[in-house]
Amino acid sequence: MLKRLLPLALATFAVGTDSYVIAGLLPAIATDLQVSTPAAGQLVTVFALVMALSAPVMGALTSGLDRRSALLIALSVFVVGNAVTALGTSYEVVMIARIVTAVGAGMINSAASSTAGAIAPPERRGRALAFVLGGLTLATALGLPLGTLIGRTDWHITLWAVAGIGLVAVLGIAAGLPKVTLPAASLGDRLRPLKQGRVLALLAVTTLVFLGTYTLYTYISPALQDATGGSESLLTVILLAWGIGILAGNIIAGRLVDRHDPAHVLTGPLTIAAVALTLTSVATATLVSTLAWAAIWGAALGVIVVPQQHRLIALSPAAAPVLLGLNSSAIYVGMALGGGLGGLAQEWFAIVPAALGLPAAGVTTLALLYHLTTTRHRAPAAPLPTPSTPEKAEA
């Protein structure tokens, strides 16, 4: 079983690393492509937006294929996109390459999770899904800082490394994964839960949280210039502290939601994240305080995702894969909007990167207030339309 799941986890690890790592390399990319840092930041914005919007569309278009073929196609697009990004010498070429990469990346996560659920026996399905999607969490904790460290001399090397990881996943899937055929799910099936107001409310909270996060995080390297003194090694250490914080928060969240109402669990970390972002300028004055700030902010963010997933699954367990796919898209929409907001704040209002914590805190506070409003007035949700068979729900 591990032989079959490992290349799937490797694929999600590659996607997670690719999604986050550009932020740590932004100054070098901006200098090399001869554009401003906010302009370079739009590489993150466009990647996240295309990934969010293309995922349900491409998932529907490829749902008639067996999962191994769909994964091999998606990973091939992903690898080629990263290779072209690494070879790109102009902003326009790199932007197009990121768009192509995002289309492939958007297909990988849902295809990998549905495949894991299909090949695992029922009594081990939860652990199989956790193992495969754990690649995304591991990418945050290790892929991001390692990618930044590798690329400190030349950012192209990091993209080649990500492409290499994707290629290894291709070989592993081609050699070790059987053909897995699942009933096709149309685009309408995938988007039908959006007609439910309760689903939209939860997805809006997810989007606002990541919008606030990425208003600052997209420009984290220039924002921490004073704390790092321009040292890529110190930036890597700070990003590692942030990633470990997310990993710890993720683990803590799993225990909390087993014992408490997920809606109540969400309130605390949202509050902590808003406070941490508000104190960004003060908390990042020294390296030691920056490390503590990064770990606390990361831990708060790591807790947030889990109760959101649990609340969505509770609305309709049979439609869980579709709902979690929509939540993933909501995350990437937030990432895209956050990168755009941070760039506009710098270009239009001359806000320096180190001061982006305040608008980021404002958006996160809005997410907290909206969450409290929807929690206070929530009513029992109507049953969501679900696929006709459990297998279709996993497709």
Side-chain angles (χ1 to χ4, degrees), residues 72-96:
L72 291 176
I73 292 171
L75 279 164
S76 297
V77 172
F78 177 81
V79 170
V80 170
N82 274 293
V84 174
T85 302
L87 292 170
T89 56
S90 71
Y91 182 73
E92 292 76 17
V93 170
V94 171
M95 177 64 80
I96 293 172

Side-chain angles (χ1 to χ4, degrees), residues 10-292:
L10 196 60
T12 61
F13 176 78
V15 171
T17 301
D18 202 29
S19 301
Y20 291 110
V21 77
I22 294 295
L25 304 172
L26 220 53
I29 293 174
T31 299
D32 195 37
L33 300 181
Q34 298 181 339
V35 296
S36 67
T37 299
Q42 300 318 300
L43 295 171
V44 177
T45 298
V46 171
F47 179 92
L49 186 60
V50 171
M51 189 171 172
L53 297 179
S54 69
V57 176
M58 296 306 298
L61 291 175
T62 60
S63 65
L65 299 174
D66 67 89
R67 295 299 82 195
R68 185 176 72 176
S69 297
L71 279 165
L72 291 176
I73 292 171
L75 279 164
S76 297
V77 172
F78 177 81
V79 170
V80 170
N82 274 293
V84 174
T85 302
L87 292 170
T89 56
S90 71
Y91 182 73
E92 292 76 17
V93 170
V94 171
M95 177 64 80
I96 293 172
R98 292 306 287 167
I99 291 172
V100 172
T101 306
V103 172
M107 297 167 58
I108 291 170
N109 289 341
S110 60
S113 59
S114 62
T115 303
I119 64 177
E123 68 275 10
R124 299 182 62 184
R125 187 167 294 162
R127 280 172 286 179
L129 288 170
F131 181 80
V132 170
L133 294 180
L136 294 173
T137 304
L138 189 62
T140 306
L142 297 178
L144 171 60
L146 286 176
T148 303
L149 183 64
I150 292 171
R152 65 179 180 175
T153 54
D154 186 349
W155 64 271
H156 300 85
I157 298 176
T158 298
L159 276 301
W160 281 118
V162 173
I165 295 171
L167 185 59
V168 173
V170 167
L171 297 176
I173 289 170
L177 194 70
K179 287 188 176 181
V180 178
T181 303
L182 298 172
S186 69
L187 183 60
D189 290 334
R190 294 167 186 271
L191 299 182
R192 190 169 294 119
L194 294 178
K195 295 180 180 179
Q196 297 287 325
R198 186 67 187 146
V199 171
L200 285 175
L202 293 179
L203 295 179
V205 171
T206 296
T207 298
L208 285 171
V209 167
F210 281 86
L211 196 164
T213 298
Y214 272 78
T215 296
L216 172 63
Y217 185 78
T218 303
Y219 307 95
I220 195 68
S221 182
L224 299 181
Q225 182 72 27
D226 289 344
T228 64
S231 169
E232 294 291 341
S233 297
L234 292 180
L235 176 63
T236 300
V237 173
I238 294 171
L239 294 178
L240 181 60
W242 189 76
I244 292 175
I246 286 184
L247 191 59
N250 198 265
I251 295 171
I252 293 170
R255 297 178 179 179
L256 289 176
V257 296
D258 284 339
R259 300 176 181 176
H260 306 284
D261 182 353
H264 294 156
V265 171
L266 187 61
T267 303
L270 277 174
T271 304
I272 293 172
V275 172
L277 288 168
T278 301
L279 299 176
T280 298
S281 296
V282 176
T284 57
T286 67
L287 179 60
V288 174
S289 62
T290 301
L291 288 170

Side-chain angles (χ1 to χ4, degrees), residues 324-345:
L324 295 182
L326 290 173
N327 194 56
S328 179
S329 289
I331 289 173
Y332 283 102
V333 168
M335 291 169 60
L337 294 177
L341 178 61
L344 291 176

